[in-house]
Every structure is written in structure tokens, then in C-alpha cells.
Amino acid sequence: MPDARIKVHELRQKSKTDLLAQLKDLKAELALLRVAKVTGGAPNKLSKIKVVRLSIAQVLTVISQKQKAVLREAYKNKKFLPLDLRPKKTRAIRRRLTKHQQSLKTEREKKREIYFPMRKYAIKV
């Protein structure tokens, strides 16, 4: 059970099984600290609760980030992405036409361009 705070760069190098084991240990430690709090434990144990809770959050964050990275890799060249992997941006931007859709022309526009091209004028000097 760690005394000092966990360093995130060390967590990122661990495998998922190691992270889950560490998470289990931290949760067990937190339970013990909470029992100590109720029974009137030492002040250093009470101050350690915050550190352990922070460590749990860090481990969970690293687990979810790794999972998301694996999913991103799996969906890299697929046509559709799951909603949580798509860019958030804003609702208006997400509903906007794509560049390709904006550049498309109707049949009528195409015909008009063919039959009535822009006139070229030569200026007399």
C-alpha cells in the first residue's frame, strides 16, 4: 500500500491487470481508513483518505484513457465511429453540411454553367 502519491507516468506503463490489482488494493486501503475514521483513528490516517481517493481517481482515469486509445485504434479506418469517439465540437457544427456537400451542384446549376458561361471581355486600348 503506497504511502506517497502515485505518479501517473508510472501508471501509464503498467498493464490493465496491474492497474486493476492496484485499484483493488487502493479501495481496500480506503475502506480501512474509513473504519479508522469512524473509530477515531490517528490524524495522519484521516489526512491520508484524500490521497488514497485521488490515487483511485488517477488509476481509473488511466484505465479509461487506455481503453479509449485501444478503441480509437480499432475504429481507425472504419466508415463510422462510435459517438463517444467522434469530435465533440458544438451541436451546430456537427449538423453543418460537410465541405463535399457544400460544393455539390444541382443539375440545373450545371446546365446553366454549360449553356451560359461567364463572358470574356477584351478591353480596347
Side-chain angles (χ1 to χ4, degrees):
M1 292 182 194
D3 297 329
R5 280 179 49 188
I6 299 169
K7 291 183 175 59
V8 178
H9 68 89
E10 291 170 4
L11 287 178
R12 290 192 200 288
Q13 291 159 1
K14 292 186 176 181
S15 67
K16 190 174 180 182
T17 51
D18 293 342
L19 288 170
L20 290 172
Q22 188 165 8
L23 184 65
K24 192 175 176 184
D25 293 343
L26 286 167
K27 285 186 174 181
E29 186 180 357
L30 185 62
L32 290 173
L33 290 170
R34 285 193 173 137
V35 169
K37 181 182 175 184
V38 171
T39 56
N44 65 336
K45 278 195 173 181
L46 298 180
S47 63
K48 199 174 178 196
I49 290 177
K50 186 178 180 182
V51 174
V52 173
R53 286 185 66 203
L54 187 91
S55 300
I56 289 172
Q58 286 175 323
V59 171
L60 286 171
T61 302
V62 169
I63 289 171
S64 65
Q65 284 176 345
K66 280 188 166 200
Q67 199 170 13
K68 208 157 201 177
V70 168
L71 279 174
R72 277 191 198 286
E73 197 60 40
Y75 281 98
K76 199 169 195 171
N77 296 319
K78 301 279 190 292
K79 186 174 182 183
F80 297 111
L81 276 176
L83 293 178
D84 60 334
L85 295 182
R86 294 179 194 173
K88 181 83 165 87
K89 300 188 177 176
T90 63
R91 192 167 189 265
I93 291 173
R94 289 194 305 266
R95 277 156 184 63
R96 194 183 287 165
L97 291 175
T98 63
K99 296 283 181 197
H100 176 68
Q101 289 169 333
Q102 285 175 348
S103 68
L104 291 177
K105 291 183 177 171
T106 61
E107 286 299 316
R108 186 185 175 117
E109 278 179 308
K110 289 176 191 172
K111 283 178 186 173
R112 182 184 275 177
E113 281 184 2
I114 292 168
Y115 296 129
F116 306 105
M118 272 291 254
R119 292 188 177 178
K120 297 179 183 83
Y121 293 102
I123 299 167
K124 217 174 195 181
V125 180

